Amino acid sequence: MDVHGLRPWTDFVKLHPDVESGQFTQATFAIDLGAIAAEDSTVPPVYRDPEAFFRATYLTADLRRMLEEVLASLAGQSGYNRVLKLRTPFGGGKSHTLAALLHAAGSRSALRAVPEAADFADPGPIDVAVFDGEKFDARDGKELPDGRHIRTMWGWLAAQLGEDKYAIVQGHDQDRVAPSGDVIQKLLDGRPKLFLLDEVLKYVDRAGAVPVHDTTLQRLALDFFQNLTVEVSGSENAAMVYSLQWSAREALGNIALLQTLDQMAGRVDQLREPVTSDEILPVLQRRLLAAQPDEGIATAVATAYQEVVTGMRRAYADTEAERQMAEDEGIALRDRLRKAYPFHPALIDVMKERWCSLDSFQRTRGALRFLATCLRAAKENGPARPLLGPGDVPVGDVEVRVALIKELGLQNEYDAVITSDIDGPNAKAKRIDDRLSRETPAFSGVRPATRVATATLMFSFGGLRREGEEEGETLAPGAGEMELRSACVAPDLDSTTITTALSELRDDCLFLHYDGVRYVFKKDPNVTKLIEDAEQDVARDPTAVTNRIKEMLNQRLTGHRDAVVWPPNSHAVPDEDPTFLIAYMPLEFAVWKKEQQDRAAKEIFQKHGDRLRRYRNGLALAVPDKSKLEPVRRAARYILATERVDTKKQQLRLSKDQMSQLRERRRTEEAAAESALRDLYAEVWLPRSEAGAIEIERVDAGGRPLQATGVHERVLELIMTVTRKVFASTTPRKIVDLLHLGESAEDGSPRLGIRLGEVVDAFYGSLGFTRLTTASVIAAAIARGVEEGVFAYASGITPALGPEGRYEVAPERMVFQRHIAEDEVDLETGFLMVPSALPVVEAPPGPTPPPEPPLPPEAPPRPLGAPEAKREVHLSFEADREQVFKAFPAIANLADKSATGKVRLDVEAHSDEGFDPVWLRNAVEEPLTEAELLEEDQA
């Protein structure tokens, strides 16, 4: 088959007679279990006749397993679950599974025709009892053909097992009293028994309104239901399968009753899900097609689509790993395409993953009805394509449109959308296609805009569930550009054309909404055109755009004293504060020539207005990236445009939904602005000295990703963490080494001390010194150096150096080898001295010995027979954690009475595995050290 000339699927695929005739009704794909059991002639043969049923049924993995388990249980085999529960979303195959079990039990020969069931157990004749809760009236019951009137669920099940079995519970049925487990055991005697219960919740819910003596029929039905599950579970040759709704929505809000039924049998039942994952594909094929498609044709089509999709994804890949991923995903897609033929898997995914979040859509039944209509319309009206995908749904066909509206519960709200934008006589998409075909005749018949618009419509209903959630809030409807490309790209339609069509649809369509990420059709006109028109007006005022960008940057840098936004000259960058400053250069700096940039940067590094810059080592320039200018300007333009539309909302008569769209678009553009501003300043320039002249050191991340999210925080991360050009700490030894303390000065005299003002000036004014964030870093290093004895600190005036090379400073003004707080270090008037230059302090004369303490008064005489007072107390005990806490008050009492006000505690602990040193330090030693109970050398 020619890859570039693939023939329509209609040339190879034969539809099921129901689909081909177009005579299917609402009930064609709906299974009525009670009607099948009653052999109602109005039931379509495909469901009523066992052989026709199994020919049209694909045995999914769980359905196969269920048939195997039930038949084995009925045959008396052990080790299987005899009570099985079906819970799937609305239309998820519950009734179909029950019908399969009914036919398998009643017509073993029909099941033998299914190859997958050839080895299943054969229990012989089986008594089957079916209860359809939707059809059994809770108040009036049901009448049998022989005139007997059945009043309860248990009566109806027993009557189907035979007259002798009904006789066992006849009294219970007529009196509406639930039979006990012993009575139910009698029903299970004899041949194998299969109980199939559908829509149990609906019956039990209605039974709550039927009084019976001093209770209700609901409580009695629940009692019987629980007893039945217990007795069947413990039986030898009986089985029970029942269905429950999936959610509160499907349970008509009666979540409490649903949970009661679910939990009542929870001890004995096992959950089954009839249709899972991609099993929906063969289910659809088996029911909608008359025969399995030719594998060679399916493979050829799948390979052709795989090649174009893989080629597109590979073209958008930036790395070798991404290109390899595109190849692997292409192979997986080819396999899905081959299995799904003639359906495109993207169309099935839309219904399975998105439409199922809608209350009205039935997962399997709704998909069957909608696809049957699409298949028939495409085959009858043409032109069909190699696959039926999201963009190939013939929404112009009246029956397809009616089916779409009905299955999704849209009423007639989207008629105007389809007619105006997608497939009407003068639809916007049609006009775009006509123009494209005039420009490029090869596009004649391809209809790219119509296919993309149709696919977008399919993605516009329901939303993907958030990861990890079965029910509840979903992601917003719609699809991104890449998702639409993947769904629409084909051998005759490339991704570039799809992008072009999307762009024109976004500009022209009245109901297509685009929030910067997702495309979605809504029933209300969009505000895109209004915003686009306003953006054109804003673009004519570049000054307003630039001012808005500066305003946004100022907002993000508010509170950062070390940031200067768009300095117009060197004088605008401060010079007297010992703080490392970052000057964010204006946007036009990015488009200057290199010579002009270097000249302006050096001007700022060297000067502060008309004088030389003092603190040139405390300055950096953040330089805007030229490639990021347009994203920033675009975001600013659209933010201004949304504001202008908002100011005219009364004049434009914007609806509530349109205002919501406007706010959504504003948030999207603000997010785009945030991202663009975050990446705008990706390079930092620092001054450095080279041969006595100032040069520029350029610093960038070099491909290493920055973790910070703020504009200023990212720049700081680049120069402090990634490249380590600026530091938030230094050491006392660094101060000594850089300032050559203790070494000989240029005139030969030793440098024994220095003013702290000179230290600050050296760090912030001398290129080549360590760049520090703030002067407090210096204060912290000095406090540490004083305590460690690296140098001494003196406050007040600068001390004079004596003839013996020691400073003349009063001891009370000097701090050495003891703690000093950082805020006590005066960086303006303070003075540092090396230890060898400290004055010699004579030891004061020794203190006069204190007088002998007076003898303690004699203790009063001890009363006759009283115990003698103890002068020493020694206690020793082992205690666990709780006992230690209880012992604290007693030990504290003893400390209060002791002579020194203290007691001595000796603590011993033993561990066979050994105590982790890190834990011991953090959890035990450091808390005791902080409480001054241990010395640091002990810890």
Side-chain angles (χ1 to χ4, degrees):
M1 179 179 290
D2 183 3
V3 170
H4 301 288
L6 297 176
R7 291 163 61 186
W9 63 264
T10 51
D11 289 355
F12 307 104
V13 175
K14 185 176 181 181
L15 303 181
H16 190 280
D18 286 344
V19 179
E20 192 84 53
S21 66
Q23 299 302 312
F24 48 84
T25 63
Q26 177 74 10
T28 301
F29 299 104
I31 294 182
D32 186 337
L33 184 65
I36 296 175
E39 299 182 353
D40 189 337
S41 61
T42 63
V43 176
V46 69
Y47 296 129
R48 178 164 37 94
D49 179 68
E51 293 185 9
F53 178 87
F54 283 117
R55 279 199 305 270
T57 296
Y58 173 78
L59 293 189
T60 65
D62 221 30
L63 178 55
R64 262 197 320 272
R65 180 184 173 194
M66 183 168 292
L67 285 167
E68 182 180 10
E69 286 186 76
V70 170
L71 291 173
S73 297
L74 293 172
Q77 298 181 18
S78 60
Y80 293 94
N81 297 299
R82 298 181 177 277
V83 179
L84 299 173
K85 171 176 59 186
L86 298 174
R87 284 194 72 180
T88 67
F90 193 34
K94 297 187 293 291
S95 298
H96 195 97
T97 300
L98 293 172
L101 293 167
L102 175 63
H103 286 313
S107 179
R108 194 68 176 80
S109 59
L111 183 60
R112 289 193 187 97
V114 180
E116 298 93 331
D119 297 331
F120 290 174
D122 187 354
I126 302 169
D127 294 332
V128 182
V130 174
F131 181 80
D132 187 342
E134 193 169 29
K135 299 296 179 64
F136 195 93
D137 189 76
R139 189 192 72 171
D140 298 332
K142 208 164 189 175
E143 189 171 322
L144 292 175
D146 60 9
R148 284 180 297 168
H149 187 77
I150 309 299
R151 307 191 69 191
T152 63
M153 176 197 299
W154 46 92
W156 184 250
L157 290 172
Q160 294 176 73
L161 297 178
E163 291 186 13
D164 59 327
K165 299 300 183 184
Y166 178 72
I168 297 173
V169 299
Q170 183 173 2
H172 297 83
D173 176 51
Q174 296 303 312
D175 295 340
R176 291 182 172 176
V177 176
S180 65
D182 291 341
V183 175
I184 294 175
Q185 284 183 9
K186 297 177 182 179
L187 295 178
L188 303 181
D189 290 342
R191 297 196 312 184
K193 305 291 189 296
L194 173 61
F195 296 91
L196 301 175
L197 286 74
D198 196 13
E199 303 291 358
V200 178
L201 178 67
K202 291 185 179 181
Y203 169 76
V204 176
D205 187 27
R206 294 193 302 270
V210 180
V212 179
H213 305 299
D214 59 349
T215 184
T216 66
L217 185 59
Q218 181 183 94
R219 294 188 61 184
L220 295 168
L222 290 173
D223 181 51
F224 168 73
F225 181 77
Q226 183 179 24
N227 289 339
L228 181 63
T229 59
V230 172
E231 297 304 327
V232 170
S233 179
S235 68
E236 293 184 0
N237 60 349
M240 171 180 169
V241 182
Y242 69 98
S243 69
L244 284 180
Q245 282 77 359
W246 179 261
S247 64
R249 164 174 63 84
E250 299 169 34
L252 303 177
N254 201 338
I255 186 64
L257 186 57
L258 176 63
Q259 291 175 342
T260 299
L261 281 168
D262 191 27
Q263 296 168 3
M264 186 170 288
R267 295 170 299 170
V268 296
D269 66 4
Q270 289 292 319
L271 178 65
R272 293 290 181 266
E273 184 176 359
V275 182
T276 60
S277 187
D278 275 355
E279 288 182 325
I280 189 73
L281 295 173
V283 168
L284 295 174
Q285 288 175 326
R286 187 68 64 89
R287 182 62 186 88
L288 297 176
L289 308 183
Q292 190 72 13
D294 182 272
E295 187 172 343
I297 294 171
T299 299
V301 174
T303 303
Y305 273 78
Q306 173 213 350
E307 290 176 355
V308 294
V309 173
T310 302
M312 175 193 70
R313 292 180 177 172
R314 194 169 50 231
Y316 283 94
D318 294 325
T319 65
E320 185 59 36
E322 291 176 349
R323 284 187 283 273
Q324 183 59 49
M325 183 182 297
E327 297 287 349
D328 295 341
E329 290 176 349
I331 294 173
L333 175 64
R334 180 196 62 200
D335 295 339
R336 290 196 73 203
L337 286 163
R338 183 171 54 239
K339 292 177 182 178
Y341 182 82
F343 304 110
H344 195 301
L347 178 58
I348 308 303
D349 291 343
V350 164
M351 293 186 286
K352 182 180 67 175
E353 298 172 359
R354 294 171 178 267
W355 292 6
C356 281
S357 65
L358 300 173
D359 291 351
S360 58
F361 186 73
Q362 303 179 34
R363 189 166 75 164
T364 302
R365 200 176 304 163
L368 285 170
R369 283 195 290 255
F370 176 68
L371 290 176
T373 310
C374 293
L375 289 171
R376 181 177 179 277
K379 190 159 189 175
E380 192 170 90
N381 304 326
R385 302 194 181 279
L387 291 174
L388 179 65
D392 306 310
V393 173
V395 292
D397 183 88
V398 175
E399 291 184 1
V400 172
R401 192 179 305 185
V402 169
L404 179 69
I405 291 171
K406 186 172 185 178
E407 298 301 337
L408 299 181
L410 305 177
Q411 300 174 359
N412 292 323
E413 297 169 340
Y414 278 80
D415 273 344
V417 176
I418 296 173
T419 302
S420 170
D421 286 350
I422 304 174
D423 207 351
N426 198 34
K428 302 297 188 295
K430 183 177 183 299
R431 292 166 59 182
I432 295 171
D433 285 336
D434 290 343
R435 184 187 57 76
L436 288 175
S437 63
R438 287 194 301 270
E439 290 181 2
T440 309
F443 282 139
S444 180
V446 176
R447 305 199 308 159
T450 300
R451 288 160 69 176
V452 173
T454 302
T456 305
L457 181 69
M458 298 300 106
F459 281 96
S460 296
F461 308 110
L464 292 172
R465 286 190 175 90
R466 295 186 184 277
E467 188 174 351
E469 295 187 10
E470 291 293 338
E471 185 179 4
E473 184 181 359
T474 58
L475 299 174
E481 186 170 319
M482 180 55 75
E483 194 169 14
L484 289 171
R485 285 199 204 107
S486 298
C488 295
V489 71
D492 65 336
L493 182 57
D494 61 272
S495 62
T496 303
T497 305
I498 293 173
T499 301
T500 302
L502 267 176
S503 177
E504 298 202 29
L505 288 168
R506 185 172 66 237
D507 291 340
D508 295 349
C509 288
L510 296 178
F511 297 92
L512 179 63
H513 296 255
Y514 177 65
D515 61 4
V517 177
R518 300 182 310 278
Y519 292 86
V520 60
F521 277 106
K522 297 183 180 181
K523 61 183 179 179
D524 299 315
N526 60 43
V527 295
T528 300
K529 195 65 174 175
L530 298 175
I531 295 174
E532 293 295 333
D533 291 344
E535 189 271 341
Q536 293 297 319
D537 291 338
V538 170
R540 299 187 186 99
D541 188 3
T543 302
V545 176
T546 301
N547 290 340
R548 173 49 63 93
I549 295 173
K550 185 176 182 180
E551 178 185 326
M552 292 189 297
L553 190 59
N554 271 316
Q555 289 174 350
R556 286 153 180 79
L557 297 180
T558 298
H560 295 289
R561 291 180 54 251
D562 53 347
V564 182
V565 179
W566 292 6
N569 50 52
S570 64
H571 188 268
V573 181
D575 186 38
E576 297 299 327
D577 185 12
T579 298
F580 194 87
L581 298 178
I582 300 173
Y584 290 82
M585 303 305 287
L587 301 184
E588 59 268 19
F589 187 88
V591 298
W592 290 350
K593 293 182 179 180
K594 182 179 182 302
E595 296 78 9
Q596 187 180 4
Q597 288 179 334
D598 290 354
R599 186 166 56 252
K602 291 178 181 179
E603 175 76 13
I604 295 176
F605 288 147
Q606 290 176 325
K607 293 185 177 182
H608 176 63
D610 56 0
R611 66 172 177 80
L612 293 177
R613 182 169 294 277
R614 179 183 174 194
Y615 285 162
R616 62 185 61 180
N617 200 46
L619 176 62
L621 306 182
V623 178
D625 185 343
K626 182 178 179 180
S627 66
K628 301 298 190 298
L629 295 183
E630 182 51 33
V632 173
R633 286 172 174 154
R634 180 202 173 278
R637 288 197 307 270
Y638 277 98
I639 289 174
L640 288 170
T642 57
E643 291 175 352
R644 293 192 181 188
V645 173
D646 186 61
T647 59
K648 297 179 180 179
K649 57 188 174 185
Q650 299 294 339
Q651 177 184 346
L652 296 170
R653 298 182 180 180
L654 297 183
S655 66
K656 183 178 179 180
D657 189 64
Q658 287 175 315
M659 286 301 302
S660 176
Q661 295 172 29
L662 184 62
R663 289 190 296 271
E664 186 177 357
R665 180 63 180 273
R666 171 69 181 270
R667 288 192 294 267
T668 298
E669 297 302 341
E670 286 176 344
E674 184 72 32
S675 176
L677 284 172
R678 185 171 59 242
D679 298 333
L680 180 60
Y681 290 95
E683 187 174 2
V684 176
W685 291 4
L686 298 164
R688 62 181 176 86
S689 178
E690 185 175 307
I694 291 182
E695 295 298 335
I696 299 171
E697 181 179 359
R698 293 170 171 83
V699 176
D700 59 50
R704 290 164 290 190
L706 300 176
Q707 303 302 316
T709 56
V711 176
H712 194 59
E713 289 75 10
R714 287 171 68 85
V715 172
L716 291 177
E717 181 184 352
L718 173 61
I719 60 178
M720 294 181 65
T721 305
V722 176
T723 59
R724 297 185 61 79
K725 299 295 182 181
V726 181
F727 298 86
S729 65
T730 190
T731 64
R733 180 55 53 189
K734 180 71 71 172
I735 294 175
V736 171
D737 292 343
L738 289 175
L739 295 167
H740 305 289
L741 293 180
E743 301 178 13
S744 298
E746 294 181 357
D747 59 0
S749 61
R751 192 171 195 178
L752 304 177
I754 188 172
R755 282 192 316 104
L756 293 191
E758 294 181 53
V759 175
V760 173
D761 289 346
F763 271 96
Y764 282 90
S766 301
L767 297 179
F769 268 54
T770 303
R771 302 183 184 93
L772 304 177
T773 53
T774 63
S776 62
V777 174
I778 299 175
I782 289 172
R784 176 183 166 190
V786 169
E787 188 170 3
E788 294 176 354
V790 178
F791 36 62
Y793 167 80
S795 61
I797 61 175
T798 302
L801 186 64
E804 296 182 356
R806 296 181 180 273
Y807 285 102
E808 299 173 347
V809 57
E812 62 272 13
R813 288 180 49 225
M814 184 178 68
V815 184
F816 182 60
Q817 290 186 328
R818 64 182 175 85
H819 177 72
I820 180 174
E822 294 178 23
D823 57 4
E824 294 181 37
V825 177
D826 189 334
L827 294 176
E828 293 183 3
T829 64
F831 192 80
L832 289 186
M833 298 167 286
V834 298
S836 61
L838 300 183
V840 178
V841 181
E842 296 183 0
T848 304
E852 291 289 331
L855 294 174
E858 293 186 3
R862 178 164 43 90
L864 186 63
E868 183 178 357
K870 294 184 178 180
R871 295 183 179 276
E872 301 286 340
V873 176
H874 297 279
L875 300 173
S876 177
F877 53 82
E878 292 185 356
D880 59 24
R881 182 185 182 92
E882 183 176 352
Q883 291 171 325
V884 168
F885 281 110
K886 291 181 178 179
F888 283 159
I891 296 172
N893 292 337
L894 190 61
D896 287 341
K897 291 292 186 180
S898 66
T900 61
K902 297 181 179 181
V903 295
R904 175 178 296 278
L905 300 178
D906 292 320
V907 181
E908 292 183 1
H910 172 76
S911 171
D912 292 335
E913 296 81 12
F915 296 105
D916 178 65
V918 176
W919 174 87
L920 189 64
R921 176 71 179 175
N922 295 336
V924 180
E925 294 174 349
E926 287 192 358
L928 294 176
T929 303
E930 292 175 359
E932 298 182 352
L933 296 174
L934 283 181
E935 298 293 337
E936 286 199 11
D937 57 351
Q938 291 179 275

